[in-house]
Amino acid sequence: MDDNHSRGTLPTRFTPKTGLAGLAQNWRADVLSGFLVFLIALPLCLGISMASGFPPQAGIITAVVGGLLVSRINGSFITITGPAAGLIVVILDSVQALGGGDAKAGYHYTLAAIVCASVIQMLMGIMKAGKMSAFFPSSAVHGMLAAIGIIIMAKQIHVMLGVKPDAQTLFETIGAIPASLRDMNPEVAMIGGIGLLILIAWSLVKSRRLKMIPAPLVVVIIGMALAQYYDLDDEHIYLFLPDTPFLPHHEFTIGPKFLVSIPQNFLSGFAFPDFSLIGSSMFWQQVFAICLVGSLESLLSAAAVDKLDPYKRTSDLNRDVAAVGFGNIICGLIGGLPMIAEIVRSSANVNNGARTGWANFFHGLFLLIFVALFPRVIHEIPLASLAALLVFTGYRLASPLEFKKTLAIGWDQLTVFVITIIGVLATDLLIGVAIGIAAEFLFHFWRSVNWAQVFKLRRDVVESEPGVYQVKIGGAAFFANYLALKGDLAKLPKGKTVIFDLSESWCVDHTVMENLHHFCEDYEANGGHAEICGLDQHVATSKHPLAPRKRSV
């Protein structure tokens, strides 16, 4: 194979084999990519785990199970499975709610909740519920992710500054940020601040060669060097600018508590679930929250990664959900976090030239080898460096660009987006998403939707001539009734012509427009032709091509 193949510039002429034949064919590219992804995954696994209220090794256990086991049975090609920042909030909430103040007990109860949630998740995949992600309105899902980003930033800024805030609720934690800035531990804040600046600078770098060096690795290496310089291994008191009169105080304590604490023996890091709360309603509330958020995120990420695949392969999302569910059962039984198909590491995997799922396998193998042989190196990583990674991740989930992109679709979608964020911040993930869905329904009510058509979409799929399929859609087309159409579209043969006729539809919401647009992209990537027509009599809420629209009277 030449270099062009590794960069994916010839997808139509070369499609990598799978299984053992794929390993023999592509092992060089996949080993290299797996190693580079391992360098990114190591600090993120540690940071996500600790932010979730779990021991640091729990995140690595998850990535190892995802790489070595799930990569062999899932339905995707280049996704990387492991712990994700999007699950931090729901897992931490479970630890706190089930533990009632006892973090260790909450950890073991949450492992039990993960096992139960994962059984449901696996059954969902077996029952082909992968299409369920289409039921949730896009703006509500993106609002949920933005709210998760805000919560991550609110909690991790304090860790990055080396301060433990006196706060019980989320809003108190947000309100305590100015006090933490005032009272920050200067040397710890220096480590965290430099790490954050590196991540920001790396995101602006254009050089492809420099981008090959993982920014999280640079943050961790520089953080470890500063930790040695500040002697974080030994607890001691130091004075910071003692001759500066305007500073409130000058004496600070620093020591090993600001470093990652991990067992020296890998096997001693395993833990087991406690099912004693399985009869309580609170336990099952956490189970359904973990299942919903984990399944939604995994489906959305796997579908997004397919669009990055230079070989234009399409994942079997049902098989993927079932495989991730099975992997999560194993993780819950031995002390790990739940996993999803992770978008950031998967994107890096594509950019590094990965060809098959063996890259995921090798990323897990490298993690296992490193943690088993070099636990002392992990102990030297400062918590502030990991917190900087999470603050940056949270910012990307809730950046002003996300608000701008949603506003471009229409004011109604921005309103649903913001309402979902406020709902999640004020209550929890499940209730917040439900509030967002209710807001979307209200907008449809405002547009005078015929409620007899809400849950049943009028549709007709006919082969008008050989190789040409007409998909006629009538009535109200929106997220609550799109699932049936999605099932019909999955049965269409590939490589044909599909024409969506929306001339008889009364209104089409953003979620349906987005799904139809993605279907057309995917269908054409696989050698067919698809187009949307019949919207010339509709009025859109904005100039955005995916904006909601209603037929003019």
Side-chain angles (χ1 to χ4, degrees), residues 506-535:
W506 175 248
C507 65
V508 188
D509 82 344
H510 164 59
T511 304
V512 173
M513 287 299 302
E514 185 175 59
N515 278 292
L516 293 181
H517 178 75
H518 288 164
F519 175 86
C520 292
E521 282 186 339
D522 294 342
Y523 197 78
E524 296 198 348
N526 284 285
H529 174 72
E531 62 181 81
I532 301 170
C533 63
L535 291 173

PDB file of all heavy atoms in Angstrom, residues 506-535:
ATOM      1  N   TRP A 506     -47.197  19.505   6.007  1.00  0.00           N
ATOM      2  CA  TRP A 506     -47.692  20.768   6.555  1.00  0.00           C
ATOM      3  C   TRP A 506     -46.548  21.539   7.214  1.00  0.00           C
ATOM      4  O   TRP A 506     -46.413  22.734   7.053  1.00  0.00           O
ATOM      5  CB  TRP A 506     -48.812  20.491   7.552  1.00  0.00           C
ATOM      6  CG  TRP A 506     -49.316  21.701   8.265  1.00  0.00           C
ATOM      7  CD1 TRP A 506     -49.176  22.000   9.586  1.00  0.00           C
ATOM      8  CD2 TRP A 506     -50.039  22.796   7.697  1.00  0.00           C
ATOM      9  NE1 TRP A 506     -49.758  23.207   9.877  1.00  0.00           N
ATOM     10  CE2 TRP A 506     -50.304  23.717   8.724  1.00  0.00           C
ATOM     11  CE3 TRP A 506     -50.490  23.080   6.405  1.00  0.00           C
ATOM     12  CZ2 TRP A 506     -50.994  24.907   8.516  1.00  0.00           C
ATOM     13  CZ3 TRP A 506     -51.179  24.270   6.204  1.00  0.00           C
ATOM     14  CH2 TRP A 506     -51.421  25.162   7.246  1.00  0.00           C
ATOM     15  N   CYS A 507     -45.709  20.805   7.949  1.00  0.00           N
ATOM     16  CA  CYS A 507     -44.529  21.421   8.550  1.00  0.00           C
ATOM     17  C   CYS A 507     -43.446  20.357   8.719  1.00  0.00           C
ATOM     18  O   CYS A 507     -43.729  19.163   8.814  1.00  0.00           O
ATOM     19  CB  CYS A 507     -44.850  22.097   9.884  1.00  0.00           C
ATOM     20  SG  CYS A 507     -45.370  20.958  11.173  1.00  0.00           S
ATOM     21  N   VAL A 508     -42.187  20.813   8.748  1.00  0.00           N
ATOM     22  CA  VAL A 508     -41.022  19.928   8.912  1.00  0.00           C
ATOM     23  C   VAL A 508     -40.120  20.566   9.953  1.00  0.00           C
ATOM     24  O   VAL A 508     -39.719  21.727   9.797  1.00  0.00           O
ATOM     25  CB  VAL A 508     -40.252  19.750   7.588  1.00  0.00           C
ATOM     26  CG1 VAL A 508     -39.177  18.678   7.757  1.00  0.00           C
ATOM     27  CG2 VAL A 508     -41.181  19.416   6.442  1.00  0.00           C
ATOM     28  N   ASP A 509     -39.799  19.821  11.020  1.00  0.00           N
ATOM     29  CA  ASP A 509     -38.971  20.429  12.064  1.00  0.00           C
ATOM     30  C   ASP A 509     -37.480  20.232  11.779  1.00  0.00           C
ATOM     31  O   ASP A 509     -37.079  19.526  10.845  1.00  0.00           O
ATOM     32  CB  ASP A 509     -39.366  19.920  13.454  1.00  0.00           C
ATOM     33  CG  ASP A 509     -38.755  18.581  13.810  1.00  0.00           C
ATOM     34  OD1 ASP A 509     -38.267  17.885  12.908  1.00  0.00           O
ATOM     35  OD2 ASP A 509     -38.781  18.218  15.003  1.00  0.00           O
ATOM     36  N   HIS A 510     -36.649  20.889  12.589  1.00  0.00           N
ATOM     37  CA  HIS A 510     -35.193  20.869  12.399  1.00  0.00           C
ATOM     38  C   HIS A 510     -34.633  19.459  12.510  1.00  0.00           C
ATOM     39  O   HIS A 510     -33.751  19.066  11.729  1.00  0.00           O
ATOM     40  CB  HIS A 510     -34.530  21.784  13.435  1.00  0.00           C
ATOM     41  CG  HIS A 510     -33.062  21.557  13.581  1.00  0.00           C
ATOM     42  ND1 HIS A 510     -32.174  21.683  12.532  1.00  0.00           N
ATOM     43  CD2 HIS A 510     -32.312  21.175  14.661  1.00  0.00           C
ATOM     44  CE1 HIS A 510     -30.946  21.409  12.956  1.00  0.00           C
ATOM     45  NE2 HIS A 510     -31.008  21.091  14.225  1.00  0.00           N
ATOM     46  N   THR A 511     -35.138  18.653  13.449  1.00  0.00           N
ATOM     47  CA  THR A 511     -34.616  17.301  13.648  1.00  0.00           C
ATOM     48  C   THR A 511     -34.831  16.446  12.410  1.00  0.00           C
ATOM     49  O   THR A 511     -33.930  15.708  11.989  1.00  0.00           O
ATOM     50  CB  THR A 511     -35.284  16.646  14.878  1.00  0.00           C
ATOM     51  OG1 THR A 511     -35.076  17.479  16.028  1.00  0.00           O
ATOM     52  CG2 THR A 511     -34.689  15.274  15.156  1.00  0.00           C
ATOM     53  N   VAL A 512     -36.019  16.540  11.804  1.00  0.00           N
ATOM     54  CA  VAL A 512     -36.294  15.776  10.585  1.00  0.00           C
ATOM     55  C   VAL A 512     -35.432  16.291   9.428  1.00  0.00           C
ATOM     56  O   VAL A 512     -34.852  15.497   8.668  1.00  0.00           O
ATOM     57  CB  VAL A 512     -37.786  15.839  10.219  1.00  0.00           C
ATOM     58  CG1 VAL A 512     -38.042  15.194   8.861  1.00  0.00           C
ATOM     59  CG2 VAL A 512     -38.619  15.147  11.288  1.00  0.00           C
ATOM     60  N   MET A 513     -35.324  17.611   9.276  1.00  0.00           N
ATOM     61  CA  MET A 513     -34.480  18.173   8.220  1.00  0.00           C
ATOM     62  C   MET A 513     -33.045  17.689   8.368  1.00  0.00           C
ATOM     63  O   MET A 513     -32.395  17.303   7.387  1.00  0.00           O
ATOM     64  CB  MET A 513     -34.516  19.705   8.263  1.00  0.00           C
ATOM     65  CG  MET A 513     -35.814  20.333   7.777  1.00  0.00           C
ATOM     66  SD  MET A 513     -36.196  19.958   6.036  1.00  0.00           S
ATOM     67  CE  MET A 513     -34.746  20.602   5.202  1.00  0.00           C
ATOM     68  N   GLU A 514     -32.552  17.683   9.597  1.00  0.00           N
ATOM     69  CA  GLU A 514     -31.179  17.245   9.863  1.00  0.00           C
ATOM     70  C   GLU A 514     -31.006  15.765   9.529  1.00  0.00           C
ATOM     71  O   GLU A 514     -30.020  15.363   8.890  1.00  0.00           O
ATOM     72  CB  GLU A 514     -30.824  17.508  11.329  1.00  0.00           C
ATOM     73  CG  GLU A 514     -29.375  17.212  11.687  1.00  0.00           C
ATOM     74  CD  GLU A 514     -29.049  17.608  13.125  1.00  0.00           C
ATOM     75  OE1 GLU A 514     -29.709  17.073  14.044  1.00  0.00           O
ATOM     76  OE2 GLU A 514     -28.152  18.426  13.314  1.00  0.00           O
ATOM     77  N   ASN A 515     -31.968  14.932   9.932  1.00  0.00           N
ATOM     78  CA  ASN A 515     -31.879  13.501   9.666  1.00  0.00           C
ATOM     79  C   ASN A 515     -31.963  13.191   8.176  1.00  0.00           C
ATOM     80  O   ASN A 515     -31.233  12.333   7.669  1.00  0.00           O
ATOM     81  CB  ASN A 515     -32.975  12.752  10.432  1.00  0.00           C
ATOM     82  CG  ASN A 515     -32.594  12.493  11.877  1.00  0.00           C
ATOM     83  OD1 ASN A 515     -31.687  11.720  12.166  1.00  0.00           O
ATOM     84  ND2 ASN A 515     -33.280  13.137  12.800  1.00  0.00           N
ATOM     85  N   LEU A 516     -32.854  13.876   7.456  1.00  0.00           N
ATOM     86  CA  LEU A 516     -32.953  13.663   6.011  1.00  0.00           C
ATOM     87  C   LEU A 516     -31.674  14.099   5.309  1.00  0.00           C
ATOM     88  O   LEU A 516     -31.191  13.439   4.379  1.00  0.00           O
ATOM     89  CB  LEU A 516     -34.152  14.427   5.440  1.00  0.00           C
ATOM     90  CG  LEU A 516     -35.544  13.954   5.876  1.00  0.00           C
ATOM     91  CD1 LEU A 516     -36.623  14.804   5.215  1.00  0.00           C
ATOM     92  CD2 LEU A 516     -35.755  12.479   5.558  1.00  0.00           C
ATOM     93  N   HIS A 517     -31.126  15.224   5.762  1.00  0.00           N
ATOM     94  CA  HIS A 517     -29.872  15.724   5.187  1.00  0.00           C
ATOM     95  C   HIS A 517     -28.746  14.714   5.397  1.00  0.00           C
ATOM     96  O   HIS A 517     -27.985  14.408   4.469  1.00  0.00           O
ATOM     97  CB  HIS A 517     -29.534  17.076   5.829  1.00  0.00           C
ATOM     98  CG  HIS A 517     -28.243  17.667   5.352  1.00  0.00           C
ATOM     99  ND1 HIS A 517     -28.105  18.242   4.112  1.00  0.00           N
ATOM    100  CD2 HIS A 517     -27.022  17.755   5.945  1.00  0.00           C
ATOM    101  CE1 HIS A 517     -26.868  18.672   3.960  1.00  0.00           C
ATOM    102  NE2 HIS A 517     -26.184  18.395   5.050  1.00  0.00           N
ATOM    103  N   HIS A 518     -28.644  14.162   6.620  1.00  0.00           N
ATOM    104  CA  HIS A 518     -27.608  13.176   6.911  1.00  0.00           C
ATOM    105  C   HIS A 518     -27.828  11.898   6.111  1.00  0.00           C
ATOM    106  O   HIS A 518     -26.862  11.273   5.649  1.00  0.00           O
ATOM    107  CB  HIS A 518     -27.578  12.864   8.408  1.00  0.00           C
ATOM    108  CG  HIS A 518     -27.018  13.975   9.229  1.00  0.00           C
ATOM    109  ND1 HIS A 518     -27.191  14.059  10.599  1.00  0.00           N
ATOM    110  CD2 HIS A 518     -26.283  15.060   8.880  1.00  0.00           C
ATOM    111  CE1 HIS A 518     -26.591  15.147  11.053  1.00  0.00           C
ATOM    112  NE2 HIS A 518     -26.039  15.769  10.026  1.00  0.00           N
ATOM    113  N   PHE A 519     -29.096  11.506   5.930  1.00  0.00           N
ATOM    114  CA  PHE A 519     -29.371  10.312   5.122  1.00  0.00           C
ATOM    115  C   PHE A 519     -28.867  10.520   3.689  1.00  0.00           C
ATOM    116  O   PHE A 519     -28.240   9.626   3.110  1.00  0.00           O
ATOM    117  CB  PHE A 519     -30.872  10.003   5.110  1.00  0.00           C
ATOM    118  CG  PHE A 519     -31.222   8.860   4.189  1.00  0.00           C
ATOM    119  CD1 PHE A 519     -31.155   7.551   4.639  1.00  0.00           C
ATOM    120  CD2 PHE A 519     -31.586   9.096   2.861  1.00  0.00           C
ATOM    121  CE1 PHE A 519     -31.453   6.490   3.783  1.00  0.00           C
ATOM    122  CE2 PHE A 519     -31.888   8.039   2.004  1.00  0.00           C
ATOM    123  CZ  PHE A 519     -31.819   6.733   2.475  1.00  0.00           C
ATOM    124  N   CYS A 520     -29.157  11.683   3.117  1.00  0.00           N
ATOM    125  CA  CYS A 520     -28.716  11.972   1.746  1.00  0.00           C
ATOM    126  C   CYS A 520     -27.190  11.924   1.642  1.00  0.00           C
ATOM    127  O   CYS A 520     -26.639  11.348   0.688  1.00  0.00           O
ATOM    128  CB  CYS A 520     -29.226  13.340   1.296  1.00  0.00           C
ATOM    129  SG  CYS A 520     -31.022  13.425   1.075  1.00  0.00           S
ATOM    130  N   GLU A 521     -26.502  12.500   2.620  1.00  0.00           N
ATOM    131  CA  GLU A 521     -25.035  12.481   2.619  1.00  0.00           C
ATOM    132  C   GLU A 521     -24.509  11.053   2.661  1.00  0.00           C
ATOM    133  O   GLU A 521     -23.625  10.666   1.886  1.00  0.00           O
ATOM    134  CB  GLU A 521     -24.493  13.258   3.830  1.00  0.00           C
ATOM    135  CG  GLU A 521     -24.521  14.761   3.679  1.00  0.00           C
ATOM    136  CD  GLU A 521     -23.837  15.442   4.854  1.00  0.00           C
ATOM    137  OE1 GLU A 521     -23.703  14.806   5.925  1.00  0.00           O
ATOM    138  OE2 GLU A 521     -23.426  16.599   4.704  1.00  0.00           O
ATOM    139  N   ASP A 522     -25.040  10.259   3.599  1.00  0.00           N
ATOM    140  CA  ASP A 522     -24.570   8.885   3.766  1.00  0.00           C
ATOM    141  C   ASP A 522     -24.904   8.031   2.541  1.00  0.00           C
ATOM    142  O   ASP A 522     -24.097   7.204   2.109  1.00  0.00           O
ATOM    143  CB  ASP A 522     -25.194   8.251   5.016  1.00  0.00           C
ATOM    144  CG  ASP A 522     -24.727   8.918   6.298  1.00  0.00           C
ATOM    145  OD1 ASP A 522     -23.694   9.604   6.255  1.00  0.00           O
ATOM    146  OD2 ASP A 522     -25.403   8.765   7.335  1.00  0.00           O
ATOM    147  N   TYR A 523     -26.090   8.238   1.979  1.00  0.00           N
ATOM    148  CA  TYR A 523     -26.527   7.434   0.835  1.00  0.00           C
ATOM    149  C   TYR A 523     -25.636   7.712  -0.380  1.00  0.00           C
ATOM    150  O   TYR A 523     -25.240   6.783  -1.105  1.00  0.00           O
ATOM    151  CB  TYR A 523     -27.988   7.738   0.511  1.00  0.00           C
ATOM    152  CG  TYR A 523     -28.650   6.694  -0.359  1.00  0.00           C
ATOM    153  CD1 TYR A 523     -29.085   5.486   0.187  1.00  0.00           C
ATOM    154  CD2 TYR A 523     -28.833   6.914  -1.713  1.00  0.00           C
ATOM    155  CE1 TYR A 523     -29.683   4.517  -0.615  1.00  0.00           C
ATOM    156  CE2 TYR A 523     -29.432   5.954  -2.519  1.00  0.00           C
ATOM    157  CZ  TYR A 523     -29.859   4.756  -1.956  1.00  0.00           C
ATOM    158  OH  TYR A 523     -30.447   3.804  -2.756  1.00  0.00           O
ATOM    159  N   GLU A 524     -25.321   8.978  -0.592  1.00  0.00           N
ATOM    160  CA  GLU A 524     -24.460   9.334  -1.718  1.00  0.00           C
ATOM    161  C   GLU A 524     -23.026   8.862  -1.493  1.00  0.00           C
ATOM    162  O   GLU A 524     -22.330   8.502  -2.447  1.00  0.00           O
ATOM    163  CB  GLU A 524     -24.517  10.834  -1.969  1.00  0.00           C
ATOM    164  CG  GLU A 524     -25.905  11.301  -2.391  1.00  0.00           C
ATOM    165  CD  GLU A 524     -25.912  12.669  -3.055  1.00  0.00           C
ATOM    166  OE1 GLU A 524     -24.870  13.355  -2.980  1.00  0.00           O
ATOM    167  OE2 GLU A 524     -26.936  13.037  -3.658  1.00  0.00           O
ATOM    168  N   ALA A 525     -22.579   8.856  -0.220  1.00  0.00           N
ATOM    169  CA  ALA A 525     -21.228   8.370   0.085  1.00  0.00           C
ATOM    170  C   ALA A 525     -21.087   6.891  -0.238  1.00  0.00           C
ATOM    171  O   ALA A 525     -19.976   6.398  -0.474  1.00  0.00           O
ATOM    172  CB  ALA A 525     -20.901   8.631   1.553  1.00  0.00           C
ATOM    173  N   ASN A 526     -22.207   6.176  -0.251  1.00  0.00           N
ATOM    174  CA  ASN A 526     -22.191   4.743  -0.542  1.00  0.00           C
ATOM    175  C   ASN A 526     -22.599   4.435  -1.993  1.00  0.00           C
ATOM    176  O   ASN A 526     -23.025   3.334  -2.307  1.00  0.00           O
ATOM    177  CB  ASN A 526     -23.113   3.995   0.424  1.00  0.00           C
ATOM    178  CG  ASN A 526     -22.495   3.854   1.802  1.00  0.00           C
ATOM    179  OD1 ASN A 526     -21.593   3.052   2.020  1.00  0.00           O
ATOM    180  ND2 ASN A 526     -22.981   4.656   2.752  1.00  0.00           N
ATOM    181  N   GLY A 527     -22.480   5.448  -2.860  1.00  0.00           N
ATOM    182  CA  GLY A 527     -22.657   5.206  -4.280  1.00  0.00           C
ATOM    183  C   GLY A 527     -24.037   5.478  -4.850  1.00  0.00           C
ATOM    184  O   GLY A 527     -24.280   5.258  -6.037  1.00  0.00           O
ATOM    185  N   GLY A 528     -24.968   5.959  -4.038  1.00  0.00           N
ATOM    186  CA  GLY A 528     -26.309   6.260  -4.528  1.00  0.00           C
ATOM    187  C   GLY A 528     -26.505   7.744  -4.771  1.00  0.00           C
ATOM    188  O   GLY A 528     -25.565   8.537  -4.716  1.00  0.00           O
ATOM    189  N   HIS A 529     -27.747   8.116  -5.056  1.00  0.00           N
ATOM    190  CA  HIS A 529     -28.095   9.530  -5.224  1.00  0.00           C
ATOM    191  C   HIS A 529     -29.375   9.805  -4.437  1.00  0.00           C
ATOM    192  O   HIS A 529     -30.332   9.037  -4.504  1.00  0.00           O
ATOM    193  CB  HIS A 529     -28.326   9.866  -6.701  1.00  0.00           C
ATOM    194  CG  HIS A 529     -28.832  11.257  -6.909  1.00  0.00           C
ATOM    195  ND1 HIS A 529     -28.032  12.373  -6.742  1.00  0.00           N
ATOM    196  CD2 HIS A 529     -30.073  11.727  -7.254  1.00  0.00           C
ATOM    197  CE1 HIS A 529     -28.751  13.462  -6.967  1.00  0.00           C
ATOM    198  NE2 HIS A 529     -29.994  13.109  -7.284  1.00  0.00           N
ATOM    199  N   ALA A 530     -29.377  10.885  -3.662  1.00  0.00           N
ATOM    200  CA  ALA A 530     -30.556  11.240  -2.863  1.00  0.00           C
ATOM    201  C   ALA A 530     -30.746  12.745  -2.892  1.00  0.00           C
ATOM    202  O   ALA A 530     -29.772  13.504  -2.865  1.00  0.00           O
ATOM    203  CB  ALA A 530     -30.398  10.741  -1.427  1.00  0.00           C
ATOM    204  N   GLU A 531     -32.000  13.183  -2.941  1.00  0.00           N
ATOM    205  CA  GLU A 531     -32.282  14.619  -2.937  1.00  0.00           C
ATOM    206  C   GLU A 531     -33.618  14.895  -2.256  1.00  0.00           C
ATOM    207  O   GLU A 531     -34.476  14.017  -2.138  1.00  0.00           O
ATOM    208  CB  GLU A 531     -32.289  15.164  -4.365  1.00  0.00           C
ATOM    209  CG  GLU A 531     -33.367  14.551  -5.257  1.00  0.00           C
ATOM    210  CD  GLU A 531     -33.323  15.118  -6.669  1.00  0.00           C
ATOM    211  OE1 GLU A 531     -32.473  14.639  -7.468  1.00  0.00           O
ATOM    212  OE2 GLU A 531     -34.134  16.027  -6.956  1.00  0.00           O
ATOM    213  N   ILE A 532     -33.754  16.139  -1.786  1.00  0.00           N
ATOM    214  CA  ILE A 532     -34.980  16.582  -1.110  1.00  0.00           C
ATOM    215  C   ILE A 532     -35.643  17.632  -1.987  1.00  0.00           C
ATOM    216  O   ILE A 532     -35.000  18.591  -2.411  1.00  0.00           O
ATOM    217  CB  ILE A 532     -34.656  17.180   0.282  1.00  0.00           C
ATOM    218  CG1 ILE A 532     -33.946  16.139   1.163  1.00  0.00           C
ATOM    219  CG2 ILE A 532     -35.920  17.682   0.971  1.00  0.00           C
ATOM    220  CD1 ILE A 532     -33.385  16.706   2.454  1.00  0.00           C
ATOM    221  N   CYS A 533     -36.930  17.458  -2.265  1.00  0.00           N
ATOM    222  CA  CYS A 533     -37.641  18.437  -3.084  1.00  0.00           C
ATOM    223  C   CYS A 533     -39.037  18.685  -2.488  1.00  0.00           C
ATOM    224  O   CYS A 533     -39.445  18.021  -1.538  1.00  0.00           O
ATOM    225  CB  CYS A 533     -37.750  17.965  -4.533  1.00  0.00           C
ATOM    226  SG  CYS A 533     -38.705  16.446  -4.730  1.00  0.00           S
ATOM    227  N   GLY A 534     -39.750  19.651  -3.041  1.00  0.00           N
ATOM    228  CA  GLY A 534     -41.102  19.945  -2.584  1.00  0.00           C
ATOM    229  C   GLY A 534     -41.185  20.936  -1.447  1.00  0.00           C
ATOM    230  O   GLY A 534     -42.206  21.032  -0.773  1.00  0.00           O
ATOM    231  N   LEU A 535     -40.110  21.707  -1.231  1.00  0.00           N
ATOM    232  CA  LEU A 535     -40.109  22.686  -0.138  1.00  0.00           C
ATOM    233  C   LEU A 535     -40.291  24.114  -0.636  1.00  0.00           C
ATOM    234  O   LEU A 535     -40.174  25.055   0.150  1.00  0.00           O
ATOM    235  CB  LEU A 535     -38.796  22.582   0.659  1.00  0.00           C
ATOM    236  CG  LEU A 535     -38.612  21.308   1.487  1.00  0.00           C
ATOM    237  CD1 LEU A 535     -37.208  21.261   2.091  1.00  0.00           C
ATOM    238  CD2 LEU A 535     -39.660  21.227   2.589  1.00  0.00           C
TER     239      LEU A 535
END
